[in-house]
Each structure stands twice: as structure tokens, then as C-alpha cells.
Coordinates of all heavy atoms in Angstrom, one line a residue:
M22 N -6.1 18.0 -8.4 CA -5.0 17.2 -8.0 C -3.9 17.3 -9.0 O -4.2 17.1 -10.2 CB -5.4 15.8 -7.7 CG -4.3 14.9 -7.0 SD -4.1 15.2 -5.3 CE -5.6 14.8 -4.6
L23 N -2.7 17.6 -8.6 CA -1.6 17.6 -9.6 C -0.9 16.3 -9.7 O -0.8 15.5 -8.8 CB -0.5 18.6 -9.1 CG -0.8 20.1 -9.1 CD1 0.3 20.9 -8.5 CD2 -1.0 20.5 -10.6
L24 N -0.4 16.0 -10.9 CA 0.4 14.9 -11.2 C 1.8 15.4 -11.4 O 2.0 16.1 -12.5 CB -0.1 14.1 -12.3 CG 0.5 12.7 -12.6 CD1 0.2 11.8 -11.4 CD2 -0.1 12.1 -13.8
I25 N 2.7 15.2 -10.5 CA 4.0 15.8 -10.6 C 5.0 14.8 -11.1 O 5.2 13.7 -10.5 CB 4.5 16.4 -9.2 CG1 3.5 17.5 -8.8 CG2 5.9 17.0 -9.3 CD1 3.7 18.0 -7.4
P26 N 5.7 15.1 -12.2 CA 6.7 14.2 -12.7 C 8.1 14.3 -12.0 O 8.9 15.2 -12.4 CB 6.8 14.5 -14.2 CG 6.5 16.0 -14.2 CD 5.5 16.2 -13.1
C27 N 8.3 13.5 -11.0 CA 9.6 13.5 -10.3 C 10.7 13.1 -11.4 O 10.5 12.1 -12.1 CB 9.6 12.5 -9.2 SG 11.2 12.3 -8.4
P28 N 11.8 13.8 -11.4 CA 12.9 13.5 -12.4 C 13.4 12.1 -12.2 O 14.0 11.5 -13.2 CB 13.9 14.5 -12.2 CG 13.3 15.6 -11.5 CD 12.2 15.0 -10.7
W29 N 13.3 11.5 -11.0 CA 13.9 10.2 -10.8 C 12.8 9.1 -10.7 O 13.1 7.9 -11.1 CB 14.6 10.1 -9.4 CG 15.8 11.0 -9.5 CD1 17.1 10.6 -9.9 CD2 16.0 12.4 -9.1 NE1 17.9 11.7 -9.8 CE2 17.3 12.8 -9.3 CE3 15.0 13.3 -8.6 CZ2 17.7 14.1 -9.1 CZ3 15.5 14.6 -8.4 CH2 16.8 14.9 -8.6
C30 N 11.6 9.4 -10.3 CA 10.6 8.3 -10.1 C 9.5 8.4 -11.1 O 8.7 7.4 -11.2 CB 9.9 8.5 -8.7 SG 11.1 8.6 -7.4
G31 N 9.4 9.4 -11.9 CA 8.3 9.5 -12.8 C 7.1 10.2 -12.2 O 7.1 10.7 -11.1
P32 N 5.9 10.2 -12.9 CA 4.7 10.9 -12.5 C 4.2 10.3 -11.2 O 4.0 9.1 -11.1 CB 3.7 10.8 -13.6 CG 4.6 10.4 -14.8 CD 5.8 9.7 -14.3
R33 N 3.9 11.2 -10.2 CA 3.3 10.7 -8.9 C 2.3 11.8 -8.5 O 2.4 12.9 -8.9 CB 4.4 10.6 -7.8 CG 5.5 9.6 -8.1 CD 4.9 8.2 -8.0 NE 5.9 7.2 -7.9 CZ 6.5 6.6 -9.0 NH1 6.1 6.9 -10.2 NH2 7.4 5.6 -8.9
D34 N 1.4 11.3 -7.6 CA 0.4 12.2 -7.1 C 1.0 13.3 -6.2 O 2.0 13.1 -5.5 CB -0.6 11.4 -6.2 CG -1.8 12.2 -5.8 OD1 -1.7 13.0 -4.8 OD2 -2.8 12.0 -6.5
E35 N 0.5 14.5 -6.2 CA 1.0 15.6 -5.5 C 1.1 15.4 -4.0 O 1.9 16.0 -3.3 CB 0.3 16.9 -5.8 CG -1.1 17.0 -5.1 CD -1.7 18.4 -5.3 OE1 -1.3 19.3 -4.6 OE2 -2.7 18.5 -6.1
T36 N 0.3 14.5 -3.4 CA 0.3 14.2 -2.0 C 1.7 13.6 -1.6 O 2.0 13.6 -0.4 CB -0.8 13.3 -1.6 OG1 -0.7 12.1 -2.3 CG2 -2.2 13.9 -1.8
E37 N 2.5 13.1 -2.5 CA 3.8 12.5 -2.2 C 4.9 13.6 -2.1 O 6.0 13.3 -1.7 CB 4.2 11.5 -3.3 CG 3.3 10.3 -3.3 CD 3.9 9.3 -4.3 OE1 5.1 9.3 -4.7 OE2 3.1 8.4 -4.6
F38 N 4.5 14.9 -2.4 CA 5.5 15.9 -2.5 C 5.2 17.0 -1.5 O 4.1 17.1 -1.0 CB 5.5 16.5 -3.9 CG 5.8 15.6 -5.0 CD1 4.9 14.7 -5.6 CD2 7.1 15.5 -5.5 CE1 5.2 13.8 -6.6 CE2 7.5 14.6 -6.5 CZ 6.5 13.7 -7.0
R39 N 6.2 17.9 -1.3 CA 6.1 19.1 -0.6 C 6.8 20.2 -1.3 O 7.9 20.1 -1.8 CB 6.7 18.9 0.8 CG 6.6 20.2 1.7 CD 7.1 19.9 3.1 NE 7.0 21.1 3.9 CZ 8.0 21.9 4.0 NH1 9.2 21.6 3.6 NH2 7.9 23.0 4.7
C40 N 6.1 21.3 -1.4 CA 6.6 22.5 -2.1 C 7.6 23.2 -1.1 O 7.2 23.5 0.1 CB 5.5 23.4 -2.5 SG 6.2 24.8 -3.5
G41 N 8.7 23.6 -1.6 CA 9.7 24.3 -0.8 C 9.8 25.8 -1.1 O 10.8 26.4 -0.7
G42 N 8.9 26.3 -1.8 CA 8.9 27.7 -2.2 C 9.6 28.0 -3.4 O 9.9 27.1 -4.2
E43 N 9.9 29.3 -3.6 CA 10.5 29.8 -4.8 C 11.9 29.2 -5.0 O 12.7 29.1 -4.1 CB 10.6 31.3 -4.8 CG 11.1 31.9 -6.1 CD 11.0 33.4 -6.1 OE1 10.5 34.0 -5.1 OE2 11.6 34.0 -7.0
A44 N 12.2 28.8 -6.2 CA 13.5 28.3 -6.6 C 14.5 29.4 -6.9 O 14.1 30.5 -7.1 CB 13.4 27.3 -7.8
H45 N 15.8 29.0 -6.9 CA 16.9 29.9 -7.3 C 17.0 31.1 -6.4 O 17.5 32.2 -6.8 CB 16.7 30.4 -8.7 CG 16.5 29.2 -9.7 ND1 17.5 28.4 -10.1 CD2 15.4 28.8 -10.3 CE1 17.1 27.5 -10.9 NE2 15.8 27.7 -11.1
I46 N 16.7 30.9 -5.1 CA 17.1 32.0 -4.1 C 18.5 31.7 -3.6 O 18.8 30.6 -3.1 CB 16.1 31.9 -2.9 CG1 14.6 32.1 -3.4 CG2 16.5 33.0 -1.9 CD1 14.3 33.4 -4.0
V47 N 19.4 32.6 -3.9 CA 20.8 32.4 -3.6 C 21.1 33.2 -2.3 O 20.9 34.4 -2.1 CB 21.6 33.0 -4.7 CG1 23.1 32.8 -4.4 CG2 21.3 32.2 -6.0
R48 N 21.7 32.5 -1.3 CA 22.2 33.1 -0.1 C 23.3 34.1 -0.4 O 24.2 33.8 -1.2 CB 22.7 32.0 0.9 CG 23.2 32.5 2.2 CD 23.7 31.3 3.0 NE 24.4 31.8 4.2 CZ 23.8 31.9 5.4 NH1 22.5 31.6 5.5 NH2 24.4 32.4 6.4
P49 N 23.3 35.2 0.3 CA 24.3 36.2 0.0 C 25.7 35.6 0.4 O 25.8 34.9 1.3 CB 24.0 37.3 1.0 CG 22.5 37.2 1.2 CD 22.2 35.7 1.1
H50 N 26.7 35.9 -0.5 CA 28.0 35.4 -0.4 C 28.7 35.7 1.0 O 29.3 34.9 1.6 CB 28.9 35.9 -1.5 CG 29.8 34.9 -2.1 ND1 29.3 33.6 -2.4 CD2 31.1 34.9 -2.4 CE1 30.3 32.9 -2.8 NE2 31.4 33.7 -2.9
D51 N 28.5 37.0 1.4 CA 29.1 37.4 2.6 C 28.0 38.1 3.4 O 27.8 39.4 3.3 CB 30.3 38.4 2.4 CG 30.9 38.8 3.6 OD1 30.6 38.3 4.7 OD2 31.8 39.8 3.5
P52 N 27.2 37.4 4.3 CA 26.1 38.0 5.0 C 26.5 39.2 5.9 O 25.7 40.1 6.1 CB 25.6 36.8 5.8 CG 26.0 35.6 5.1 CD 27.3 36.0 4.5
D53 N 27.7 39.2 6.4 CA 28.2 40.3 7.2 C 28.3 41.6 6.5 O 28.4 42.7 7.1 CB 29.5 39.9 7.9 CG 29.3 38.8 8.9 OD1 28.1 38.7 9.5 OD2 30.2 38.1 9.2
S54 N 28.4 41.5 5.2 CA 28.7 42.8 4.4 C 27.4 43.4 3.9 O 27.4 44.5 3.3 CB 29.5 42.4 3.2 OG 28.8 41.6 2.3
I55 N 26.2 42.8 4.2 CA 25.0 43.4 3.8 C 24.2 44.0 5.0 O 24.4 43.5 6.1 CB 24.1 42.4 3.0 CG1 23.7 41.3 3.8 CG2 24.8 42.0 1.7 CD1 22.7 40.3 3.1
D56 N 23.3 44.9 4.7 CA 22.6 45.5 5.8 C 21.3 44.7 6.1 O 21.0 43.8 5.4 CB 22.2 47.0 5.5 CG 21.3 47.2 4.3 OD1 20.6 46.2 3.9 OD2 21.4 48.3 3.7
D57 N 20.6 45.1 7.1 CA 19.4 44.4 7.6 C 18.3 44.3 6.5 O 17.6 43.3 6.4 CB 18.9 45.0 8.9 CG 19.8 44.8 10.1 OD1 20.7 43.9 10.0 OD2 19.6 45.4 11.1
T58 N 18.2 45.4 5.8 CA 17.2 45.4 4.7 C 17.4 44.4 3.7 O 16.5 43.6 3.2 CB 17.1 46.8 4.1 OG1 16.8 47.8 5.1 CG2 16.0 46.9 3.1
Q59 N 18.7 44.3 3.3 CA 19.1 43.3 2.3 C 18.9 41.9 2.8 O 18.5 41.0 2.1 CB 20.5 43.5 1.8 CG 20.7 44.8 1.0 CD 22.1 45.2 0.8 OE1 22.9 45.1 1.7 NE2 22.4 45.5 -0.5
W60 N 19.3 41.7 4.1 CA 19.2 40.4 4.7 C 17.7 40.0 4.8 O 17.3 38.8 4.5 CB 19.8 40.4 6.1 CG 19.8 39.0 6.7 CD1 19.1 38.7 7.8 CD2 20.5 37.9 6.3 NE1 19.4 37.3 8.1 CE2 20.2 36.8 7.2 CE3 21.4 37.6 5.2 CZ2 20.7 35.5 7.1 CZ3 21.9 36.3 5.1 CH2 21.6 35.3 6.0
A61 N 16.8 40.9 5.2 CA 15.4 40.7 5.3 C 14.8 40.3 3.9 O 14.0 39.5 3.8 CB 14.7 41.8 5.9
S62 N 15.3 41.0 2.9 CA 14.9 40.7 1.6 C 15.2 39.3 1.2 O 14.4 38.6 0.6 CB 15.5 41.7 0.6 OG 15.2 41.4 -0.7
Y63 N 16.4 38.9 1.5 CA 16.9 37.5 1.2 C 16.0 36.5 1.9 O 15.6 35.5 1.3 CB 18.3 37.3 1.5 CG 18.7 35.9 1.7 CD1 18.8 35.0 0.7 CD2 19.0 35.4 3.0 CE1 19.1 33.7 0.8 CE2 19.3 34.1 3.2 CZ 19.4 33.2 2.1 OH 19.7 31.9 2.3
L64 N 15.7 36.8 3.2 CA 14.9 35.8 4.0 C 13.5 35.7 3.6 O 12.9 34.7 3.6 CB 15.1 36.2 5.5 CG 16.4 35.9 6.1 CD1 16.4 36.4 7.6 CD2 16.9 34.5 6.0
F65 N 12.9 36.9 3.4 CA 11.4 37.0 3.3 C 10.8 37.3 2.0 O 9.6 37.0 1.8 CB 10.9 37.9 4.4 CG 11.4 37.6 5.8 CD1 12.2 38.4 6.5 CD2 11.0 36.4 6.4 CE1 12.7 38.1 7.8 CE2 11.4 36.0 7.7 CZ 12.3 36.9 8.4
L66 N 11.4 38.1 1.2 CA 10.8 38.6 0.0 C 10.8 37.6 -1.1 O 11.9 37.1 -1.5 CB 11.4 39.9 -0.5 CG 11.2 41.1 0.5 CD1 11.8 42.4 -0.1 CD2 9.7 41.3 0.8
R67 N 9.7 37.3 -1.7 CA 9.6 36.3 -2.8 C 8.7 36.9 -3.8 O 7.8 37.7 -3.6 CB 9.0 35.0 -2.3 CG 9.9 34.3 -1.2 CD 11.2 33.9 -1.8 NE 12.0 33.2 -0.8 CZ 13.0 33.8 -0.1 NH1 13.3 35.0 -0.3 NH2 13.8 33.1 0.7
T68 N 8.9 36.4 -5.1 CA 8.0 36.9 -6.1 C 6.7 36.1 -6.0 O 6.6 35.0 -5.4 CB 8.6 36.6 -7.5 OG1 8.8 35.2 -7.6 CG2 9.9 37.3 -7.7
N69 N 5.6 36.7 -6.5 CA 4.3 36.1 -6.4 C 3.6 36.3 -7.8 O 2.6 37.0 -7.9 CB 3.5 36.7 -5.3 CG 2.2 36.0 -5.1 OD1 2.0 34.8 -5.5 ND2 1.2 36.6 -4.4
P70 N 4.2 35.7 -8.8 CA 3.7 36.0 -10.2 C 2.3 35.4 -10.5 O 2.0 34.3 -9.9 CB 4.8 35.4 -11.1 CG 5.3 34.3 -10.3 CD 5.2 34.7 -8.9
K71 N 1.6 36.0 -11.4 CA 0.4 35.4 -11.9 C 0.9 34.9 -13.3 O 0.9 35.6 -14.3 CB -0.7 36.5 -12.1 CG -2.0 35.9 -12.7 CD -3.0 37.0 -12.7 CE -4.3 36.4 -13.3 NZ -5.4 37.4 -13.4
G72 N 1.3 33.7 -13.3 CA 1.9 33.1 -14.5 C 2.9 32.1 -14.1 O 2.8 31.4 -13.1
L73 N 4.0 32.0 -14.9 CA 5.0 31.0 -14.7 C 5.8 31.3 -13.4 O 6.2 32.4 -13.2 CB 6.0 30.9 -15.9 CG 5.3 30.4 -17.2 CD1 6.3 30.4 -18.3 CD2 4.8 29.0 -17.0
H74 N 6.1 30.2 -12.6 CA 6.8 30.4 -11.4 C 7.7 29.2 -11.2 O 7.3 28.1 -11.4 CB 5.8 30.5 -10.2 CG 6.4 30.9 -8.9 ND1 6.2 30.1 -7.8 CD2 7.1 31.9 -8.6 CE1 6.8 30.7 -6.8 NE2 7.4 31.8 -7.3
R75 N 9.0 29.5 -10.9 CA 9.9 28.4 -10.6 C 9.9 28.1 -9.1 O 10.1 29.0 -8.3 CB 11.3 28.8 -11.1 CG 11.4 29.1 -12.6 CD 12.7 29.5 -13.0 NE 13.1 30.8 -12.4 CZ 14.2 31.4 -12.5 NH1 15.2 30.9 -13.2 NH2 14.4 32.6 -11.9
E76 N 9.7 26.8 -8.8 CA 9.5 26.4 -7.4 C 10.4 25.2 -7.1 O 10.7 24.4 -8.0 CB 8.1 26.0 -7.2 CG 7.1 27.0 -7.5 CD 5.6 26.5 -7.5 OE1 5.4 25.4 -7.9 OE2 4.7 27.3 -7.2
R77 N 10.8 25.0 -5.9 CA 11.5 23.8 -5.4 C 10.5 22.9 -4.8 O 9.6 23.3 -4.1 CB 12.5 24.2 -4.3 CG 13.6 25.1 -4.8 CD 14.6 25.3 -3.7 NE 15.3 24.1 -3.5 CZ 15.9 23.8 -2.3 NH1 16.0 24.6 -1.4 NH2 16.5 22.6 -2.2
W78 N 10.6 21.6 -5.1 CA 9.8 20.6 -4.6 C 10.6 19.4 -4.1 O 11.7 19.2 -4.6 CB 8.8 20.1 -5.6 CG 7.7 21.0 -6.0 CD1 7.7 22.2 -6.7 CD2 6.3 20.9 -5.5 NE1 6.5 22.8 -6.8 CE2 5.6 22.0 -6.1 CE3 5.6 20.0 -4.8 CZ2 4.3 22.2 -5.9 CZ3 4.2 20.2 -4.6 CH2 3.6 21.3 -5.1
V79 N 10.1 18.7 -3.1 CA 10.8 17.5 -2.6 C 9.9 16.3 -2.7 O 8.7 16.5 -2.3 CB 11.4 17.7 -1.2 CG1 10.3 18.0 -0.2 CG2 12.2 16.5 -0.8
H80 N 10.4 15.2 -3.1 CA 9.5 14.0 -3.2 C 9.7 13.3 -1.9 O 10.4 12.3 -1.7 CB 10.0 13.1 -4.4 CG 9.1 12.0 -4.7 ND1 9.3 11.1 -5.7 CD2 7.8 11.7 -4.2 CE1 8.3 10.3 -5.8 NE2 7.4 10.6 -4.9
R81 N 9.0 13.8 -0.9 CA 9.2 13.4 0.5 C 8.7 11.9 0.8 O 9.1 11.3 1.7 CB 8.6 14.3 1.5 CG 7.1 14.4 1.5 CD 6.6 15.4 2.5 NE 5.1 15.4 2.6 CZ 4.5 16.0 3.5 NH1 5.1 16.7 4.4 NH2 3.1 16.1 3.4
H82 N 7.7 11.5 0.0 CA 7.2 10.1 0.2 C 7.7 9.2 -0.9 O 7.1 8.2 -1.2 CB 5.7 10.0 0.3 CG 5.2 10.7 1.6 ND1 5.5 10.4 2.8 CD2 4.4 11.8 1.7 CE1 4.9 11.2 3.7 NE2 4.3 12.1 3.0
G83 N 8.8 9.5 -1.5 CA 9.4 8.8 -2.6 C 10.9 8.7 -2.4 O 11.5 8.3 -1.4
C84 N 11.6 9.3 -3.4 CA 13.1 9.3 -3.4 C 13.7 10.3 -2.4 O 14.9 10.3 -2.2 CB 13.6 9.5 -4.8 SG 13.2 11.1 -5.5
R85 N 12.9 11.2 -1.9 CA 13.3 12.3 -1.0 C 14.3 13.3 -1.6 O 15.1 13.9 -0.9 CB 13.9 11.7 0.3 CG 12.9 10.9 1.1 CD 13.6 10.3 2.3 NE 12.5 9.8 3.2 CZ 12.3 10.3 4.4 NH1 13.1 11.2 4.9 NH2 11.4 9.8 5.2
R86 N 14.3 13.4 -2.9 CA 15.2 14.3 -3.6 C 14.5 15.6 -3.9 O 13.3 15.6 -4.2 CB 15.7 13.7 -4.9 CG 16.7 12.6 -4.6 CD 17.2 12.0 -5.9 NE 18.2 11.0 -5.7 CZ 18.6 10.2 -6.6 NH1 18.2 10.3 -7.9 NH2 19.5 9.3 -6.4
W87 N 15.3 16.7 -3.9 CA 14.8 18.0 -4.3 C 14.9 18.2 -5.8 O 15.9 17.7 -6.4 CB 15.5 19.1 -3.5 CG 15.1 19.2 -2.1 CD1 15.7 18.6 -1.1 CD2 14.1 20.0 -1.5 NE1 15.1 18.9 0.1 CE2 14.1 19.8 -0.1 CE3 13.2 20.9 -2.1 CZ2 13.2 20.5 0.7 CZ3 12.3 21.6 -1.2 CH2 12.3 21.3 0.1
F88 N 14.0 19.0 -6.4 CA 14.1 19.3 -7.8 C 13.3 20.6 -8.0 O 12.6 21.1 -7.1 CB 13.6 18.2 -8.7 CG 12.2 17.7 -8.4 CD1 11.2 18.2 -9.2 CD2 11.9 16.8 -7.4 CE1 9.9 17.8 -9.0 CE2 10.6 16.4 -7.2 CZ 9.6 16.9 -7.9
N89 N 13.4 21.1 -9.2 CA 12.7 22.4 -9.5 C 11.5 22.1 -10.5 O 11.6 21.2 -11.3 CB 13.6 23.4 -10.2 CG 14.7 23.8 -9.2 OD1 14.5 24.0 -8.0 ND2 15.9 24.0 -9.7
V90 N 10.5 22.9 -10.3 CA 9.3 22.8 -11.2 C 9.0 24.2 -11.7 O 9.0 25.1 -11.0 CB 8.1 22.3 -10.3 CG1 6.8 22.3 -11.1 CG2 8.4 20.9 -9.8
L91 N 8.7 24.2 -13.0 CA 8.2 25.4 -13.6 C 6.7 25.2 -13.8 O 6.3 24.4 -14.5 CB 8.9 25.7 -15.0 CG 8.4 27.0 -15.7 CD1 8.8 28.2 -14.9 CD2 9.0 27.0 -17.1
R92 N 6.0 26.0 -13.0 CA 4.5 25.8 -12.9 C 3.8 27.1 -13.1 O 4.2 28.2 -12.7 CB 4.1 25.3 -11.5 CG 2.7 25.0 -11.3 CD 2.4 24.4 -9.9 NE 2.7 25.4 -8.8 CZ 1.8 26.3 -8.4 NH1 0.6 26.4 -8.9 NH2 2.2 27.2 -7.5
H93 N 2.7 27.0 -13.8 CA 1.8 28.2 -14.0 C 0.9 28.3 -12.8 O 0.2 27.4 -12.5 CB 1.0 28.0 -15.3 CG 0.4 29.3 -15.8 ND1 -0.7 29.9 -15.3 CD2 0.8 30.1 -16.8 CE1 -0.9 31.0 -15.9 NE2 0.0 31.2 -16.9
T94 N 0.9 29.5 -12.2 CA 0.2 29.7 -10.9 C -1.3 29.8 -11.1 O -2.0 29.7 -10.1 CB 0.7 30.9 -10.2 OG1 0.6 32.1 -11.0 CG2 2.2 30.7 -9.8
V95 N -1.8 30.0 -12.3 CA -3.2 30.1 -12.5 C -3.8 28.8 -12.9 O -4.7 28.3 -12.3 CB -3.5 31.2 -13.6 CG1 -5.0 31.2 -13.8 CG2 -3.1 32.6 -13.1
S96 N -3.2 28.2 -13.9 CA -3.7 26.9 -14.4 C -3.1 25.7 -13.7 O -3.6 24.6 -13.8 CB -3.4 26.8 -15.9 OG -2.0 26.6 -16.1
H97 N -2.1 25.9 -12.9 CA -1.3 24.8 -12.2 C -0.6 23.9 -13.2 O -0.2 22.8 -12.8 CB -2.2 24.1 -11.2 CG -2.8 25.0 -10.2 ND1 -2.0 25.6 -9.2 CD2 -4.0 25.4 -9.9 CE1 -2.8 26.3 -8.4 NE2 -4.0 26.2 -8.8
E98 N -0.6 24.2 -14.5 CA 0.1 23.4 -15.4 C 1.6 23.3 -15.1 O 2.2 24.4 -14.9 CB -0.1 23.9 -16.9 CG 0.7 23.1 -17.9 CD 0.8 23.9 -19.2 OE1 0.2 25.0 -19.3 OE2 1.4 23.3 -20.1
I99 N 2.1 22.1 -15.1 CA 3.6 22.0 -14.9 C 4.2 22.0 -16.3 O 4.0 21.0 -17.0 CB 3.9 20.7 -14.1 CG1 3.3 20.9 -12.7 CG2 5.4 20.4 -14.1 CD1 3.4 19.7 -11.8
V100 N 5.0 23.0 -16.6 CA 5.6 23.1 -17.9 C 6.8 22.2 -18.0 O 6.9 21.5 -19.0 CB 6.0 24.6 -18.1 CG1 6.7 24.8 -19.4 CG2 4.8 25.5 -18.1
C101 N 7.6 22.2 -16.9 CA 8.7 21.3 -17.0 C 9.2 21.1 -15.5 O 8.9 21.9 -14.6 CB 9.8 21.7 -17.9 SG 10.6 23.2 -17.4
V102 N 10.0 20.0 -15.3 CA 10.7 19.8 -14.1 C 12.2 19.6 -14.5 O 12.5 19.2 -15.6 CB 10.2 18.5 -13.3 CG1 8.8 18.7 -12.9 CG2 10.4 17.3 -14.1
Y103 N 13.0 20.0 -13.5 CA 14.5 19.8 -13.8 C 15.2 19.7 -12.5 O 14.8 20.2 -11.4 CB 15.0 21.0 -14.6 CG 14.7 22.4 -14.1 CD1 15.7 23.1 -13.4 CD2 13.5 23.0 -14.2 CE1 15.5 24.4 -12.9 CE2 13.2 24.2 -13.7 CZ 14.3 24.9 -13.0 OH 14.0 26.2 -12.5
K104 N 16.3 19.0 -12.6 CA 17.1 18.7 -11.4 C 17.8 20.0 -10.9 O 18.1 20.9 -11.7 CB 18.1 17.6 -11.7 CG 17.5 16.3 -12.0 CD 18.5 15.2 -12.4 CE 17.8 14.0 -12.8 NZ 18.8 13.0 -13.4
I105 N 18.1 20.0 -9.6 CA 18.9 21.1 -9.1 C 20.2 21.2 -9.8 O 20.9 20.2 -10.0 CB 19.2 20.9 -7.6 CG1 17.9 20.7 -6.8 CG2 20.0 22.1 -7.0 CD1 17.0 21.9 -6.7
G106 N 20.5 22.4 -10.3 CA 21.8 22.6 -11.0 C 21.7 22.5 -12.5 O 22.6 22.9 -13.2
E107 N 20.6 22.0 -13.0 CA 20.4 21.8 -14.4 C 19.9 23.2 -15.0 O 19.2 23.9 -14.3 CB 19.4 20.8 -14.8 CG 19.9 19.4 -14.7 CD 18.9 18.3 -15.1 OE1 17.7 18.6 -15.2 OE2 19.3 17.2 -15.4
Q108 N 20.1 23.3 -16.3 CA 19.6 24.5 -17.0 C 18.1 24.2 -17.3 O 17.8 23.1 -17.7 CB 20.4 24.7 -18.3 CG 21.8 25.2 -18.1 CD 21.8 26.6 -17.5 OE1 21.0 27.4 -17.9 NE2 22.8 26.9 -16.7
I109 N 17.3 25.3 -17.2 CA 15.9 25.1 -17.6 C 15.7 25.5 -19.0 O 16.3 26.4 -19.6 CB 15.1 26.1 -16.7 CG1 13.6 25.9 -17.0 CG2 15.5 27.5 -16.9 CD1 12.7 26.6 -16.0
I110 N 14.9 24.6 -19.7 CA 14.6 24.9 -21.1 C 13.1 25.0 -21.2 O 12.4 24.0 -21.0 CB 15.1 23.7 -22.0 CG1 16.6 23.5 -21.9 CG2 14.7 23.9 -23.4 CD1 17.1 22.3 -22.5
V111 N 12.7 26.3 -21.3 CA 11.2 26.5 -21.4 C 10.7 26.4 -22.8 O 11.2 27.0 -23.7 CB 10.9 28.0 -20.9 CG1 9.5 28.3 -20.9 CG2 11.5 28.2 -19.5
P112 N 9.7 25.5 -22.9 CA 9.1 25.4 -24.3 C 8.6 26.7 -24.8 O 8.1 27.5 -24.0 CB 7.9 24.4 -24.0 CG 8.3 23.6 -22.8 CD 9.1 24.6 -22.0
A113 N 8.8 27.0 -26.0 CA 8.5 28.3 -26.6 C 7.0 28.7 -26.4 O 6.7 29.9 -26.1 CB 8.7 28.3 -28.1
Q114 N 6.1 27.8 -26.4 CA 4.7 28.1 -26.2 C 4.5 28.6 -24.8 O 3.8 29.6 -24.6 CB 3.8 26.9 -26.5 CG 2.3 27.2 -26.3 CD 1.5 26.0 -26.5 OE1 2.0 24.9 -26.8 NE2 0.2 26.1 -26.4
A115 N 5.1 28.0 -23.8 CA 4.9 28.4 -22.4 C 5.6 29.7 -22.1 O 5.0 30.5 -21.4 CB 5.5 27.3 -21.5
A116 N 6.7 30.0 -22.7 CA 7.4 31.2 -22.5 C 6.6 32.4 -23.0 O 6.7 33.5 -22.5 CB 8.8 31.2 -23.2
A117 N 5.8 32.2 -24.0 CA 5.0 33.3 -24.6 C 3.8 33.6 -23.8 O 3.2 34.7 -24.0 CB 4.6 32.9 -26.0
E118 N 3.4 32.8 -22.9 CA 2.2 33.1 -22.1 C 2.4 34.1 -21.0 O 3.5 34.3 -20.5 CB 1.7 31.8 -21.4 CG 1.2 30.8 -22.5 CD 0.8 29.5 -21.9 OE1 1.0 29.3 -20.6 OE2 0.4 28.6 -22.6
Ligands
LIG5 ZN1 11.2 10.8 -6.7

């Protein structure tokens, strides 16, 4: 069981949250100017790293706000959480893994 530190509410049980997938996926600026392959890539292709992964989470049974989590996909360790739009600061030890 994960203990996820919501930036607004503090540490809560993972059952209060929902993962929204990979973070920092940017919608193409002009969708009409890209081809179907690029559009499909935007819609469906995601990274699947064995290691650190940036994810979006929502505190659905709490403040209902979205935020980002930097989580290790093997150990499930949460390295840090940060609000949408904030710069991520990865601790040096975690970045080296
Ligand atoms: Zn919250």
C-alpha cells in the first residue's frame, strides 16, 4: 500500500487517489497540421520505464486536485510530488538510480 503525500492535504492512503497516467503529455499545438501517425502517438504511446516515472494523480476522495508524482516503478518509492506547473527537483540520489 502506498502512502501518497498530496501537496495540499498531506500523506494519505493510495485508495484515496487515482492515477491519471504519464505526466507532461502535451497536446499538439495545431492538431490539423500533424498526420495520423503523430496523432496516434500523442493519444496512445507512453513510456514504460523500469525506474523513475513521472505520473499524474488526482486526490479524488480528498481535495480533488491533480498533481504530479515522481515514482520508481520497481520499488514504488515516491521520490517527490509537485503541483501542476511547478518545476521538478529530483534529489541527487534518486536521479543517479
Ligand atoms: Zn488532497
Side-chain angles (χ1 to χ4, degrees):
M22 188 75 62
L23 287 175
L24 191 63
I25 300 174
C27 173
W29 292 274
C30 307
R33 299 287 194 274
D34 191 279
E35 72 173 288
T36 58
E37 294 186 15
F38 298 85
R39 180 172 177 264
C40 183
E43 185 174 353
H45 305 286
I46 303 296
V47 179
R48 182 183 172 90
H50 220 46
D51 183 11
D53 292 332
S54 68
I55 62 175
D56 62 24
D57 289 347
T58 303
Q59 292 169 313
W60 184 249
S62 175
Y63 159 70
L64 290 177
F65 303 114
L66 295 183
R67 299 293 182 259
T68 61
N69 187 21
K71 183 178 181 181
L73 293 177
H74 191 232
R75 297 178 297 175
E76 302 168 330
R77 296 184 67 203
W78 286 75
V79 62
H80 193 183
R81 69 178 180 171
H82 294 297
C84 64
R85 296 178 166 242
R86 292 180 174 170
W87 286 90
F88 58 97
N89 294 322
V90 173
L91 180 64
R92 182 179 65 87
H93 197 283
T94 59
V95 176
S96 67
H97 300 292
E98 175 193 2
I99 294 175
V100 176
C101 68
V102 298
Y103 54 103
K104 297 175 183 174
I105 303 292
E107 282 185 343
Q108 291 290 325
I109 185 172
I110 300 171
V111 180
Q114 181 183 0
E118 293 176 358

